[in-house]
Amino acid sequence: MEVHSCYSTTYYCIVNVSRCLISNQAKFPIVKERRSYSGLHVYSIKKKRTQRLTITALKGFDSVDSSLLSESYNSDIIDGKVGTQNVTGSAKSVPKVIVPSLPDETKADSVAVVDSCLWEWKPKLKVHYEKSGCQNVNSAPILFLPGFGVGSFHYEKQLKDLGRDHRIWALDFLGQGKSLPCEDPTSQSKRLDESERDGNNVVWGFGDEAEPWAKELVYSVDLWRDQVRYFIEEVTKEPVYVVGNSLGGYVALYLAAYYPQLVKGVTLLNATPFWGLLPNPVRSPRLSRLFPWAGTFPLPTTIRKLTELVWQKISAPESIAEVLKQVYADHTTKVDKVFSSILEIIEHPAAAASLTSIMFAPRGQLSFKEALTGCRMNNVPVCLMYGKEDPWVMPIWALQVKRQFPEAPYYQISPAGHCPHDEVPEIVNFLLRGWIKNIESHSSVALPLLDSPESIEYDIVRDLEFVRQGMKKAVRVRFYGSMTSQWERLRMFLKSRFQYGVYSP
């Protein structure tokens, strides 16, 4: 008996077995002859009535590993494509990749310097943003867009690391972070209560009439799309790679669909697949008239009372801590800075009314799916990096994006939750650097974790290791190829899980 393996590479495992009776024969489905994707080896796998498995390779490999015969073989085998990622046993189940750690902040010269800035887009509307790596004039520029309820501070680990070799910007959406208004968007015609006179309990946005500069102000996805558009035109002054988490991912797609000339590529980090509750007045004018208020200032009296009740609950420190606990899969992740930054935001007098405007703002003119279609039609590169353990944007949403945009690389990271860029920044930074190199080189440089540009067609799994604070950590990353359909993945998963009792992570 002879077994030849190409296990150590990302290429698919081809074995040569002569008259071999596999003890666990039922785990191999019937598949048809197929040429391996490297184009170098033709193989055939056939399941015969005698339950003998014959696997023939026309060309052999150098290394020999007979231990595979004594272990279970859990590889996905779909239409002849056999992945190395799931060969289990002998501590060799998944190839490992060592990923660089974050720069040591105790050494000032190893961390990119981060500058905090303000950009006045319109009168009374100042946008806060942070930047790093301005000296890297020949590097690809990257713009980070935050999720709901946070701001540029959530990308500190990208600013300090990626800023060493890229030009980086991270901005706060208007109505969030430090881009809250510096004045009350409403005027107070009525006499203030005694409790409000001391200035300690003043709440903005609850006045009787909107100020002239805020008459059309609504913190909506349309406003944020325009905000990012003008930020690129006036601040970065060149097309950028846009990276968005959650809400930021939606805005990134939305922007790229409308203004593809401003976007070199989009990376989605657990992007929310929808945003906005009320109908869009441009897209559905008749339906939108049924709703008398859609996030404008001032807040109606009934909405004010609702806001006061809800705000007391969601702005409580224990409520914020509970949300952070939900969205981070690894509870050892330090979120002290994120927690304190959010507490600082909610103390702003405009925070409550701004949140209400966001929640009652109309939907965008394009849905998430339509924006994704626009990106594909305009040849805007898209990459997905999703935390698998996200309780909000679950893996099924990412798979739907992959189904609609098959050529988009999809990296599923585990364990990681809704904010993989903050939870496992080492992984996200590594993948982002590699993806940008792939785009900038016109695909002559393979995508991260792949050995060749051709291997983008197939699913693989890798264990990525890195060091954080002197301790080794590891996550598993699954790359979803472009040729394996979602139905095939689901079919193979159900077949292996329920029929044969085999689970493939």
Side-chain angles (χ1 to χ4, degrees):
M1 181 185 301
E2 185 180 42
V3 178
H4 296 281
S5 170
C6 61
Y7 175 80
S8 61
T9 71
T10 59
Y11 284 13
Y12 281 63
C13 183
I14 311 300
V15 296
N16 185 358
V17 183
S18 301
R19 303 176 67 180
C20 172
L21 178 62
I22 305 296
S23 59
N24 201 358
Q25 310 124 349
K27 294 179 182 178
F28 288 84
I30 299 176
V31 294
K32 54 189 177 183
E33 187 172 324
R34 189 80 169 184
R35 180 177 297 274
S36 75
Y37 73 83
S38 66
L40 298 177
H41 308 285
V42 180
Y43 62 93
S44 173
I45 305 177
K46 297 179 180 178
K47 182 179 177 184
K48 298 185 176 180
R49 293 181 182 178
T50 58
Q51 297 299 318
R52 293 177 182 269
L53 181 72
T54 303
I55 306 178
T56 306
L58 299 186
K59 294 187 179 181
F61 301 90
D62 296 332
S63 59
V64 177
D65 186 359
S66 60
S67 64
L68 291 176
L69 294 178
S70 62
E71 304 294 341
S72 63
Y73 192 96
N74 298 339
S75 180
D76 295 328
I77 307 179
I78 302 175
D79 197 26
K81 299 183 285 291
V82 186
T84 63
Q85 66 268 28
N86 297 324
V87 180
T88 61
S90 302
K92 290 185 178 180
S93 59
V94 176
K96 295 181 180 178
V97 178
I98 306 301
V99 175
S101 303
L102 295 179
D104 187 353
E105 295 198 31
T106 61
K107 300 177 181 178
D109 57 346
S110 67
V111 179
V113 176
V114 180
D115 296 318
S116 182
C117 312
L118 284 177
W119 164 59
E120 186 168 3
W121 175 29
K122 295 180 179 181
K124 310 296 184 180
L125 294 178
K126 292 184 178 181
V127 175
H128 173 264
Y129 68 96
E130 296 183 346
K131 64 179 182 179
S132 65
C134 296
Q135 72 280 5
N136 303 316
V137 292
N138 296 320
S139 66
I142 310 173
L143 173 62
F144 288 91
L145 304 181
F148 173 63
V150 292
S152 54
F153 61 84
H154 214 198
Y155 289 112
E156 180 183 26
K157 296 166 185 175
Q158 283 67 46
L159 288 157
K160 291 183 176 181
D161 180 16
L162 296 173
R164 296 182 297 169
D165 43 33
H166 286 276
R167 286 167 293 155
I168 309 295
W169 291 268
L171 60 75
D172 296 0
F173 289 134
L174 286 168
Q176 296 193 159
K178 294 182 180 180
S179 291
L180 289 164
C182 54
E183 295 181 12
D184 191 338
T186 61
S187 58
Q188 295 278 0
S189 61
K190 295 181 180 179
R191 188 170 176 269
L192 295 177
D193 295 337
E194 289 293 333
S195 61
E196 296 177 320
R197 286 182 182 176
D198 59 7
N200 293 328
N201 297 310
V202 173
V203 179
W204 293 356
F206 285 66
D208 304 301
E209 185 178 353
E211 294 287 356
W213 61 270
K215 284 190 178 297
E216 303 297 326
L217 180 62
V218 180
Y219 294 124
S220 67
V221 69
D222 287 320
L223 175 73
W224 297 325
R225 176 203 61 195
D226 292 340
Q227 173 192 345
V228 180
R229 170 200 171 184
Y230 286 104
F231 184 85
I232 295 173
E233 292 180 345
E234 299 180 15
V235 179
T236 71
K237 297 182 179 179
E238 64 177 302
V240 297
Y241 287 95
V242 186
V243 182
N245 171 234
S246 191
L247 167 63
Y250 190 124
V251 177
L253 274 186
Y254 198 25
L255 169 80
Y258 269 92
Y259 308 106
Q261 73 278 9
L262 301 179
V263 180
K264 295 169 71 69
V266 173
T267 298
L268 303 179
L269 304 171
N270 291 72
T272 181
F274 43 80
W275 192 261
L277 299 175
L278 304 184
N280 186 277
V282 174
R283 185 164 180 167
S284 307
R286 292 183 179 179
L287 186 59
S288 65
R289 293 193 194 105
L290 299 177
F291 299 87
W293 186 73
T296 55
F297 292 93
L299 275 61
T301 303
T302 54
I303 299 298
R304 296 180 201 178
K305 295 179 180 178
L306 176 63
T307 299
E308 290 172 354
L309 292 173
V310 174
W311 184 251
Q312 290 178 0
K313 175 64 176 178
I314 65 175
S315 64
E318 55 271 21
S319 298
I320 297 171
E322 182 60 31
V323 170
L324 291 177
K325 185 178 179 181
Q326 289 178 18
V327 298
Y328 284 78
D330 182 0
H331 293 160
T332 65
T333 305
K334 292 186 177 181
V335 295
D336 297 352
K337 288 186 178 181
V338 174
F339 180 72
S340 60
S341 296
I342 295 175
L343 288 181
E344 183 180 348
I345 293 170
I346 64 176
E347 292 174 358
H348 193 285
S354 297
L355 172 69
T356 306
S357 176
I358 292 171
M359 298 309 297
F360 282 87
R363 292 192 292 265
Q365 295 180 35
L366 294 181
S367 67
F368 183 93
K369 185 176 182 179
E370 291 168 337
L372 189 64
T373 299
C375 288
R376 195 177 186 196
M377 291 177 61
N378 289 307
N379 296 315
V380 178
V382 172
C383 181
L384 293 81
M385 301 178 193
Y386 279 53
K388 182 180 179 182
E389 285 72 34
D390 187 346
W392 298 344
V393 183
M394 294 178 286
I396 188 173
W397 295 110
L399 289 173
Q400 288 185 8
V401 175
K402 179 66 176 175
R403 182 180 180 183
Q404 185 180 346
F405 208 138
E407 59 270 35
Y410 170 27
Y411 296 91
Q412 186 184 83
I413 308 169
S414 180
H418 189 62
C419 311
H421 61 286
D422 191 50
E423 191 169 2
V424 282
E426 298 89 349
I427 306 302
V428 170
N429 294 359
F430 169 78
L431 296 176
L432 185 58
R433 277 188 174 102
W435 178 68
I436 291 176
K437 286 181 181 178
N438 173 264
I439 301 299
E440 293 289 302
S441 69
H442 303 286
S443 298
S444 63
V445 175
L447 285 165
L449 307 184
L450 307 185
D451 279 357
S452 69
E454 294 79 15
S455 53
I456 190 174
E457 297 177 350
Y458 303 93
D459 291 11
I460 66 168
V461 171
R462 295 286 182 267
D463 280 341
L464 275 60
E465 290 187 350
F466 55 92
V467 176
R468 182 186 296 172
Q469 297 177 339
M471 298 183 63
K472 275 189 177 182
K473 295 183 72 71
V475 299
R476 178 160 291 186
V477 176
R478 175 183 288 272
F479 174 85
Y480 287 84
S482 58
M483 285 191 63
T484 307
S485 72
Q486 305 307 319
W487 287 112
E488 285 177 323
R489 289 192 181 102
L490 179 59
R491 178 177 64 82
M492 290 306 300
F493 169 78
L494 293 176
K495 189 173 184 178
S496 63
R497 183 68 179 88
F498 299 107
Q499 183 175 350
Y500 304 131
V502 177
Y503 176 70
S504 177

